[in-house]
Amino acid sequence: MKKITLIVFMLLTGLLFGHEFWIQPDKYIYGRGEMVNLKFVSGENFTGKNWKGNKSRVENLQLFFDKVSDTGLHKDLTNAEGDSLQAIFMDEGTVVVALQTKNNFIELNANDFNNYLKEDGLDNALNYRIEKGDTAKPGKEFYQRSAKAILQIGNKYTSTYKKKTGLPLDIVPDDNPYTVAKDGNFKVKIFFRGEPLKNTKVKVWHKLNENMSVQEYKTDDDGELKFFLDPEGQWMISCVKMERLENNAKAEWQSYWGTVTWGYY
């Protein structure tokens, strides 16, 4: 078994609903034995702040490294607000860290909820409200987050990047992003509960120095999309899946938010 030293200190600090939520390392490419620092952040325009969650808000925290996996890191977290998850990897390879939060509830006024559904391409929910004459009603929703980061340790490139993590909403690259040699098309596949998520709006974010751009795509019938990848800076892919809840006394909707991040520094 590969030797891995993992040091989990504490979770991080709040979550602003309606913003992207992602795993943010201090960098993405590390040397063997170098300390890896990660934060869980929420924000707009690929700029965020620590969330205010703790152990009680985490359903699962997993780490995948070559043939080694630790699917119970959440058990080592504390109930205190903190600022980092830290790990040391004693061997080289591609690493995936995956976080799933527990369900949380939010209620938005009718206008804000309708605008949010429109902005994120959640046409099934918006059309339902229109058809039922519910557009003047507040939106009551449970939501949870699935966030994943792909890191690279040293010069050994492994297939961990394409491992399914069990996240409800899992965004999986078709190729290792760290073996991309030049600009070109890059393909990812998105799964919801293990099945391809088709015809869904996806945002692709790219931050290079002080410049940030975002492009919108839609997955095809196989849950796939292609976009032009420049192997520089930092990348994030995000999407949302919304389902109608029947006979729930508190909420009418359940959403699943997903992100994956990687970068070249």
Side-chain angles (χ1 to χ4, degrees), residues 165-228:
T165 62
L167 291 172
L169 207 166
D170 199 4
I171 306 171
V172 182
D174 194 56
D175 295 301
N176 191 329
Y178 295 106
T179 60
V180 174
K182 60 181 181 179
D183 297 358
N185 286 329
F186 191 74
K187 184 169 71 173
V188 300
K189 191 165 187 174
I190 301 179
F191 297 90
F192 179 62
R193 294 176 181 159
E195 297 297 325
L197 184 61
K198 62 182 181 179
N199 302 322
T200 298
K201 181 177 178 179
V202 179
K203 294 181 180 180
V204 178
W205 311 75
H206 184 212
K207 185 189 296 183
L208 181 59
N209 300 321
E210 300 301 318
N211 299 315
M212 198 287 298
S213 64
V214 58
Q215 301 291 328
E216 295 182 356
Y217 299 85
K218 183 168 283 191
T219 56
D220 62 19
D221 288 340
D222 296 317
E224 296 179 344
L225 69 140
K226 292 181 180 180
F227 62 93
F228 189 80

Side-chain angles (χ1 to χ4, degrees), residues 9-12 52-58 74-82 102:
F9 287 101
M10 55 185 69
L11 251 164
L12 310 156
K52 294 179 182 177
N54 56 26
K55 182 178 181 179
S56 67
R57 286 284 291 114
V58 177
H74 56 292
K75 298 176 182 178
D76 298 321
L77 300 174
T78 76
N79 290 318
E81 292 183 3
K102 293 181 179 178

Side-chain angles (χ1 to χ4, degrees), residues 3-7 32-36 86-90:
K3 293 176 63 179
I4 301 177
T5 301
L6 291 175
I7 309 172
R32 185 171 65 87
E34 189 175 0
M35 182 69 75
V36 176
Q86 297 184 321
I88 297 175
F89 297 91
M90 303 310 297

Side-chain angles (χ1 to χ4, degrees), residues 16-21 99-101 106 116 120 122 141-148 167-171 192 203 238-242 254-259:
L16 298 175
F17 182 82
H19 298 171
E20 269 65 37
F21 175 70
L99 170 73
Q100 179 187 352
T101 69
I106 191 170
Y116 141 55
D120 284 284
L122 300 172
E141 176 184 352
F142 287 114
Y143 67 95
Q144 60 178 262
R145 307 283 188 161
S146 297
K148 185 165 69 174
L167 291 172
L169 207 166
D170 199 4
I171 306 171
F192 179 62
K203 294 181 180 180
S238 65
C239 66
V240 189
K241 169 67 176 177
M242 178 81 82
Q254 170 75 61
S255 67
Y256 302 86
W257 297 65
T259 59

Side-chain angles (χ1 to χ4, degrees), residues 147-161:
K148 185 165 69 174
I150 305 174
L151 314 175
Q152 179 62 38
I153 313 299
N155 296 314
K156 180 182 178 182
Y157 303 99
T158 56
S159 62
T160 311
Y161 69 92

